Amino acid sequence: MRISRNRHWGHPELVQFLERFAPLASQATGWKGILIGDMAQPRGGPLPFGHKSHQIGLDVDIWFMPMPDRVLSAKEREDISAPNLVAADGKHINDKIWGSAAIAFIRTAAEQPEVERVLVNAAIKKELCRGKSTKDQSWMSKVRPWYGHADHIHVRLKCPTDSPDCRTQPAVPAGNGCDKSLTHWFADWILRLKIPDASPSPSAKGLTLKDLPSACAAVLNAPASPGNAATDERPGLR
Ligand SMILES: [Zn+2]
């Protein structure tokens, strides 16, 4: 989705994950397929707006919305939006849309062994904690609350085994995450924070290659692979 953003690029392991996950999610939810939002830019690197993550090709946003039973046009992929699963107060889910498919979707993502974390809005995590999912610590521990994420999940994969410079994220705390670390998200000042998706990312502004790990130079200087040259253009980094 939103192909004009040119963020449909990822590490080969992310692409393989999505190809494997799509039929699993479809089976678990009854959806025809999944709708994939931002991955990374060609060759990765800081994004000019929208996220601080999504830089190394191991992050993907997947929409809380079934793929329709036809191929969407390029215009539809720009215009259609996923429904908001969170109520206006930020504390509850939207009952009209929430249901067993949404739970199965999150669960299937979190159950995959290569997935390190699944980020969802705190109200969604709270709803999972109210249900019988609470007992399933193995996957519930990977589902973490974060700002936004009311119309999509963010999946972060573990570091690939052949990437020694890739830093593993801090381990998720033991337990199902239905504890004080969750209630903190419903403090008034946090609920009032508005983080627009299109806000410029301060981290990317004025950044040059020398600000990044040296391994990035090799990635940026590598020749384009055949067939990708036309799309292998990226903003924001010199
Ligand atoms: Zn994301």
Side-chain angles (χ1 to χ4, degrees):
M1 304 302 282
R2 303 288 186 272
I3 41 185
S4 65
R5 290 157 74 113
N6 199 20
R7 294 176 176 180
H8 42 275
W9 303 82
H11 189 283
E13 291 197 8
L14 180 65
V15 177
Q16 281 159 21
F17 162 75
L18 287 168
E19 287 172 350
R20 209 172 60 74
F21 173 68
L24 294 177
S26 173
Q27 207 172 29
T29 56
W31 297 354
K32 193 85 186 164
I34 56 172
L35 298 176
I36 300 167
D38 280 1
M39 295 164 65
Q41 298 179 106
R43 302 181 191 228
L47 304 178
F49 63 90
H51 312 270
K52 277 198 196 121
S53 59
H54 289 260
Q55 293 197 30
I56 59 173
L58 298 176
D59 299 281
V60 58
D61 293 338
I62 312 174
W63 288 18
F64 274 121
M65 185 178 179
M67 187 186 83
D69 56 1
R70 64 192 170 82
V71 176
L72 293 172
S73 69
K75 186 171 183 328
E76 285 172 318
R77 281 187 266 175
E78 297 297 330
D79 295 345
I80 292 176
S81 293
N84 189 340
L85 258 63
V86 176
D89 67 1
K91 297 177 183 173
H92 302 93
I93 43 90
N94 181 346
D95 278 321
K96 289 199 193 87
I97 308 167
W98 181 258
S100 56
I103 299 170
F105 175 60
I106 300 166
R107 177 184 181 142
T108 305
E111 279 178 341
Q112 303 313 308
E114 63 269 58
V115 169
E116 193 169 62
R117 275 175 169 71
V118 176
L119 304 182
V120 296
N121 187 278
I124 293 174
K125 174 77 187 187
K126 186 171 102 174
E127 189 62 21
L128 290 173
C129 288
R130 274 163 37 96
K132 55 183 190 309
S133 320
T134 317
K135 296 189 192 78
D136 301 319
Q137 305 206 346
S138 53
W139 67 270
M140 275 289 279
S141 66
K142 290 193 203 173
V143 181
R144 313 303 304 180
W146 198 245
Y147 302 99
H149 296 85
D151 57 10
H152 68 276
I153 59 171
H154 174 119
V155 174
R156 168 63 184 254
L157 298 191
K158 292 175 182 164
C159 283
T161 48
D162 61 353
S163 300
D165 292 335
C166 176
R167 289 195 207 139
T168 304
Q169 298 195 305
V172 290
N176 57 19
C178 302
D179 48 28
K180 270 197 300 206
S181 67
L182 178 61
T183 42
H184 145 86
W185 285 91
F186 299 102
D188 280 343
W189 71 273
I190 290 191
L191 289 173
R192 276 197 302 268
L193 283 179
K194 292 270 175 273
I195 303 187
D197 177 52
S199 62
S201 137
S203 58
K205 205 170 173 223
L207 209 59
T208 65
L209 187 53
K210 70 175 185 344
D211 300 314
L212 299 177
S214 57
C216 299
V219 176
L220 280 182
N221 294 330
S225 53
N228 283 353
T231 42
D232 193 16
E233 246 175 51
R234 38 146 315 137
L237 200 65
R238 295 165 298 278

